[in-house]
Structure formats: C-alpha cells, structure tokens
Amino acid sequence: MENGIVKPMLRSLLISYVLSGLLLGALAFALYKLRLKEGQVNLIVYLVYLAACLAGGAAAGKRLRQRRFFWGLLSGLFYFLILFAVSWAMNPWSALDTERSVTVMAVCALGGMLGGMFSA
C-alpha cells in the first residue's frame, strides 16, 4: 500500500474502534439497568458493528476521496479481521461459529462500504 493510504486507513480503524468501545460501553450499562434479553443484545451488537464501520468507512472515504466505495469496504473488512484475530487470540480453543463470523463480516463490510459511499 502506498504511504498516502496507510494513514487514512489506520485513522478510520481508530475511529471505528473508539466508537465501538463507547457504544459497547453504553450497551453494557443498558444491559445492567434494563436487563435486556439475549436476542436484543445480539441485535444491538450488530448495530454497533454497523455504526462503527459506517463511521470508519466515512472517515476513509473522506480522506482518500477516490474509490470511496472500495476504501470504505476495505476499512470494514480490516475492522472485522482485527476483531476476529483478537477474539481468536483470546480464546483459540473455542468452537468457531462460522455462521456468526460470516454475518459479522458482512455487517462490517456493508457498514464500511456505505460509509465510504456516503462520505462527503
């Protein structure tokens, strides 16, 4: 990758992870106070992934200005790969839930792609 691409991509990932940390913290508080059901929590976690990748894709698209669709998609996929690698590193012997992993990857890719497309 060209040096002019690395910094915006790293910045978009930083934005995505900071936002997801804040939103997941808010979700933890809501879970504590509201006693949400597992199905509701799973849906909200997917929405957090979507929002975080949307923001990261928008940041990447805004900085790179060309092929925003592609850079947003790549930002979302990088977000997923780091998320997947850290999850696996924390518990390498757990059973791999392929269906959930593919769903999370699709949500992250979609969020990043939409963020890149709608960046101004």
Side-chain angles (χ1 to χ4, degrees):
M1 277 192 208
E2 191 177 302
N3 193 24
I5 295 170
V6 173
K7 283 184 182 180
M9 290 304 287
L10 289 175
R11 186 178 190 166
S12 75
L13 287 172
L14 180 65
I15 289 168
S16 294
Y17 279 109
V18 167
L19 181 61
S20 64
L22 291 171
L23 292 175
L24 288 173
L27 174 61
F29 182 74
L31 182 60
Y32 172 72
K33 286 292 190 183
L34 302 176
R35 301 180 194 268
L36 300 172
K37 294 181 176 77
E38 184 179 353
Q40 293 170 321
V41 173
N42 286 335
L43 176 64
I44 295 171
V45 168
Y46 286 131
L47 291 175
V48 166
Y49 291 154
L50 183 71
C53 291
L54 189 76
K62 193 169 193 165
R63 287 288 282 166
L64 293 169
R65 295 187 183 166
Q66 293 179 341
R67 297 180 8 192
R68 294 175 180 182
F69 172 91
F70 174 73
W71 296 119
L73 175 68
L74 196 61
S75 175
L77 289 175
F78 281 155
Y79 178 92
F80 168 76
L81 288 175
I82 294 169
L83 181 71
F84 185 81
V86 169
S87 297
W88 184 82
M90 291 179 70
N91 195 2
W93 305 113
S94 68
L96 177 64
D97 187 0
T98 308
E99 181 180 341
R100 184 172 171 92
S101 296
V102 169
T103 303
V104 171
M105 183 178 68
V107 167
C108 291
L110 177 68
M113 182 177 58
L114 289 175
M117 287 170 49
F118 296 128
S119 62

